[in-house]
Amino acid sequence: MESNILSNEKNKRVVLTGNEAFIRGALEAGVSFVSQYPGTPVSDVGVTFGKLARVVPNLYFQWASNEATSLEAAAGASWSGIKALCPMKHVGVNVASDPMSVIAINGPLSSTGQGGLVILAGGDPGSLGSHCEQNDRFYTWMLHMCHLEPSNVQEAKDFMVEGYKISSKFDVITYIRTTSRISHTREDITLGEIKFNQSLEGNFERNIPKYCSLPPHCIENHRKVYERMERIESYSKKFNTIIPGDNKLGIITAGVPFGYVIEAVRKLKLKNVPILKLGCINPINKEQVIKFCENQETILIVEELEPFIEVDIKRIVQEAGLSVKIFGHEYVRKYNELSVVDVVQSLSKITGVSIGYNEQKILQKYNKYLNLIPPRFPVFCAGCPERALIYSIKKATDEENTIYAGDIGCYVMSFFPPLKITDWVICMGGGLGASVGAAKVNKKPVLALMGDSTFYHTGLPAIVNAVYNKSNVLLFILDNKWTGMTGGHPNPNSGINGMGETVEKQNIAEIVKSLGVKWVRTVDPYQPKIMINTIKDALKINGLKVIISQRECMLQYQKLNREILLKSPRKVYYWINPDRCQMCGECFEQLCCTALKRTEINGREVMQIDQARCTNCGVCQKICLNSAIVKTEINVHL
């Protein structure tokens, strides 16, 4: 994969995913500075850049503590004349929006017109890996950014190259939006030429009106950004494609839905349907839209989520005085990701063309297979220290009379059955943030969860707020050493940075104490009895209490120590003695470990440990009420 990304054989055909194509495009554009906080569907962009930065000259990559600091760092590089890339997921745009609003209006270029800044935003229609499917496209209209939306992997690479040209030419942030259907699709594409940078050294020059956005400069910068966006509008039509036709129904679409439209038109056997595929959706080229619409009777706009393109198209058509009928959300739903099936049904309704027998069979087959997929709640990995912590919390508290504040991380799964103890999930740091209010107006104990990555992301201000307002909350900081939910990326607690360099690990306990928290304890969640007693002790004390649940993510531990574990002469096995197992449910209903399975021995149902899944954490043995779980150690002497 890395050899394909770095190949400098011009016009070579290679197979890349969408995210790899974005990376390749950035390298072809001459990017030198990449800053990211991980988030689906673009987490692997940072992972790959982290590897490439160790072999590509004058390429720097960093994992930032959150999206705002990531964007600020990228702006600092661009203002110094260095081309910068800032990937983030759609809800990360919310976090970055504060600095983004100013950087976008001021412009990302240096005083001498060098640099360039692209934001690669990973949208998530259907909430495939997120807690909401927020439509981040509206930020580009509100904050005056050029918005490109590729519809395939080739465009992912090409639009990234063009995105830097736009940023450098017009002094704007280029916002390239992707989704899982682009980021994780694999396609053969044609490469351009990589421009390896000769230096990572920039040169910042003071320019008070440009960079210090206070009155009166902020008003003048606001005026200038309108001028820049107007100039981009005439340039934007190069990203759009028109498929001609004499049908009086025309379709306007963009991004991933374009592929669905092409397939749906074919399946309904609609003839000569003209299609305008927008590659640039902000600013939309008015002249092109008017020319496309003026000979049509009806236009259907196909886009995912809230009507963003639809609103602008209707405005353009109304201002131009055209009598064409514009439809969008009346036929295309405003939630969940679309599919070919959805677009077929939308086109069938608006045209009156019935879905043919073969297409009906396809729909029936599609719905049949949907029903065959067994529903399964997301679960913790076998040996996950967070499962062990949740078990201890359940044992130490009265579930009916306790408030459990969740947050964004692997522990979000604690609200699914059979654990079911999370009462709300808002955003990163929002668990403790909302607990401050809840604790003031409830007599019930309030417990809040926060991961170590969230602690650095937005947790610190929440802790300061809780201390300042004397909040009676028990906060758990889940220190698993990695940003686990996105795939195990390093954070300030990992001892390694984005360039692979060893750095000093932060001490969460000392940081928390420095913020004014008096009662702080660090406990291994693999010791459930100690954890349960610590929780009970904490609940007797008023004010903010913090328990740091400290144990490395099991997936990361196994991955990083695979060779050592395989070569070790000491083998550990946990197994269940069927004569002692009473099927009490403590291990499979309370701990809910996925390495446990039901089996039948001599006509009697008992539990058994699946050795292929077991990680030897030993928690099940410690909590077994009947001493049925046995630990066996084997020392192999060679």
Side-chain angles (χ1 to χ4, degrees), residues 18-60:
N19 280 345
E20 291 163 0
F22 286 125
I23 294 167
R24 171 68 191 206
L27 292 173
E28 290 184 11
V31 74
S32 287
F33 188 98
V34 184
S35 179
Q36 180 179 5
Y37 183 84
T40 304
V42 293
S43 295
D44 46 315
V45 172
V47 173
T48 303
F49 263 119
K51 294 176 182 177
L52 295 177
R54 301 170 204 181
V55 296
V56 174
N58 303 311
L59 175 63
Y60 174 79

Side-chain angles (χ1 to χ4, degrees), residues 429-451:
L432 177 59
S435 296
V436 171
K440 289 294 182 184
V441 297
N442 283 276
K443 292 183 179 180
K444 298 177 181 178
V446 181
L447 281 65
L449 300 176
M450 177 187 294

Side-chain angles (χ1 to χ4, degrees), residues 25-35 49 58-61 73-86 108-110 113-119 160-169 195 197 199-203:
L27 292 173
E28 290 184 11
V31 74
S32 287
F33 188 98
V34 184
S35 179
F49 263 119
N58 303 311
L59 175 63
Y60 174 79
F61 172 75
S78 183
W79 283 341
S80 301
I82 301 297
K83 288 182 180 177
L85 174 67
C86 190
L109 298 187
S110 71
Q114 305 301 309
L117 177 56
V118 171
I119 293 173
M160 181 64 75
V161 175
E162 293 293 331
Y164 279 100
K165 291 180 181 178
I166 290 171
S167 184
S168 299
K169 183 179 178 68
K195 299 174 182 177
N197 295 296
S199 174
L200 186 56
E201 185 176 343
N203 179 35

Side-chain angles (χ1 to χ4, degrees), residues 274-291:
I275 300 171
L276 170 58
K277 181 184 80 69
L278 298 172
C280 181
I281 67 171
N282 189 57
I284 292 177
N285 187 280
K286 297 176 188 175
E287 179 185 351
Q288 203 169 31
V289 169
I290 292 169
K291 188 174 180 181

Side-chain angles (χ1 to χ4, degrees), residues 239-468:
F239 298 98
N240 305 331
T241 302
I242 294 178
I243 298 175
D246 55 13
N247 196 306
K248 290 305 178 182
L249 167 69
I251 300 174
I252 299 177
T253 186
V256 174
F258 170 68
Y260 304 151
V261 166
I262 294 295
E263 184 70 7
V265 168
R266 185 184 67 83
K267 287 189 176 299
L268 284 178
K269 299 181 176 61
L270 299 176
K271 302 297 184 182
N272 300 317
V273 176
I275 300 171
L276 170 58
K277 181 184 80 69
L278 298 172
C280 181
I281 67 171
N282 189 57
I284 292 177
N285 187 280
K286 297 176 188 175
E287 179 185 351
Q288 203 169 31
V289 169
I290 292 169
K291 188 174 180 181
F292 179 81
C293 294
E294 60 187 0
N295 293 320
Q296 303 303 130
E297 294 177 357
T298 307
I299 295 290
L300 176 66
I301 297 167
V302 180
E303 60 182 322
E304 290 178 320
L305 304 180
E306 287 81 7
F308 178 78
I309 297 172
E310 179 184 338
V311 170
D312 216 14
I313 296 297
K314 285 181 175 177
R315 175 188 63 82
I316 293 169
V317 168
Q318 190 273 333
E319 289 178 355
L322 301 181
S323 59
V324 59
K325 296 178 181 177
I326 308 289
F327 296 104
H329 66 274
E330 299 92 343
Y331 292 94
V332 182
R333 67 163 182 262
K334 297 183 285 187
Y335 55 89
N336 208 347
E337 63 176 350
L338 298 178
S339 67
V340 175
V341 171
D342 296 316
V343 181
V344 164
Q345 292 173 331
S346 296
L347 284 174
S348 175
K349 290 176 184 176
I350 198 169
T351 61
V353 176
S354 60
I355 300 173
Y357 175 72
N358 289 334
E359 284 66 36
Q360 287 179 351
K361 283 181 64 178
I362 292 171
L363 292 176
Q364 291 169 1
K365 189 176 182 180
Y366 174 80
N367 292 324
K368 176 184 176 183
Y369 280 112
L370 276 181
N371 295 329
L372 289 176
I373 300 172
R376 191 193 78 169
F377 293 112
V379 294
F380 290 104
C381 303
C384 177
E386 297 180 1
R387 172 193 283 109
L389 172 63
I390 299 299
Y391 169 85
S392 296
I393 291 174
K394 286 168 66 73
K395 288 295 177 181
T397 57
D398 177 0
E399 293 183 45
E400 294 298 320
N401 294 293
T402 303
I403 297 173
Y404 304 97
D407 212 289
I408 303 299
C410 295
Y411 43 92
V412 76
M413 292 180 289
S414 62
F415 86 83
F416 289 115
L419 297 171
K420 295 193 297 185
I421 68 162
T422 294
D423 291 314
W424 63 69
V425 177
I426 307 172
C427 62
M428 297 186 74
L432 177 59
S435 296
V436 171
K440 289 294 182 184
V441 297
N442 283 276
K443 292 183 179 180
K444 298 177 181 178
V446 181
L447 281 65
L449 300 176
M450 177 187 294
D452 51 354
S453 187
T454 300
F455 173 76
Y456 297 109
H457 184 277
T458 40
L460 291 167
I463 293 172
V464 171
N465 189 47
V467 172
Y468 176 60

Side-chain angles (χ1 to χ4, degrees), residues 472-512:
N472 188 25
V473 177
L474 172 54
L475 171 65
F476 294 88
I477 300 176
L478 287 67
D479 178 9
N480 67 9
K481 306 299 180 190
W482 304 92
T483 307
M485 193 176 195
T486 56
H489 305 97
N491 63 47
N493 237 29
S494 307
I496 186 172
N497 65 16
M499 294 294 289
E501 301 164 336
T502 300
V503 296
E504 184 177 352
K505 293 182 181 180
Q506 300 290 325
N507 188 318
I508 291 180
E510 293 302 317
I511 295 173
V512 169

Side-chain angles (χ1 to χ4, degrees), residues 105-106 208-210 212-222:
I105 287 178
N106 291 3
I208 297 298
K210 179 174 174 61
C212 298
S213 196
L214 295 168
H217 305 310
C218 59
I219 299 171
E220 177 62 12
N221 288 338
H222 195 183

